[in-house]
Amino acid sequence: MEVYILLIREYRVLRGMTQKELARKAKLRQAYISELERGHPKIKSPTLRVTFRIARALDICPHVLVRYNIGCDYNCFNTCNKNFFK
């Protein structure tokens, strides 16, 4: 879970987004984004759907949030868009 948390913050900062902007774009509460990034102990792991919403808001492939060491050629993002973001 910690790798996931760090990557949300890392990609959000790389995109120059605030937590509020990410939350608005992902249609989530800013407090929830903050809790995910901090690894709040009372927060459950996000669902797959939420993970995809965050990834889409960050304009990255969902697997990048979960596994840092997998390369992405961006073809997967197009596939994800077709299959999951209808």
Side-chain angles (χ1 to χ4, degrees):
M1 180 70 173
E2 192 163 331
V3 171
Y4 181 85
I5 294 164
L6 291 174
L7 291 177
I8 292 173
R9 180 181 295 128
E10 181 178 297
Y11 281 99
R12 178 180 59 76
V13 170
L14 279 172
R15 297 289 188 260
M17 297 172 79
T18 65
Q19 288 180 345
K20 188 174 184 176
E21 291 168 331
L22 175 58
R24 183 181 44 79
K25 204 169 176 185
K27 296 183 176 139
L28 299 167
R29 293 179 303 108
Q30 184 271 328
Y32 183 63
I33 297 294
S34 176
E35 290 166 348
L36 285 175
E37 287 186 353
R38 288 183 293 125
H40 195 280
K42 292 186 179 179
I43 276 294
K44 295 190 302 184
S45 296
T47 63
L48 189 57
R49 183 175 297 274
V50 168
T51 302
F52 274 77
R53 284 167 56 181
I54 293 169
R56 185 174 194 195
L58 292 169
D59 197 33
I60 58 175
C61 295
H63 73 268
V64 174
L65 288 175
V66 181
R67 300 187 83 197
Y68 186 72
N69 60 351
I70 292 178
C72 178
D73 63 4
Y74 295 99
N75 287 329
C76 64
F77 189 73
N78 293 330
T79 301
C80 289
N81 269 334
K82 282 188 240 174
N83 295 323
F84 299 104
F85 300 133
K86 294 178 183 179

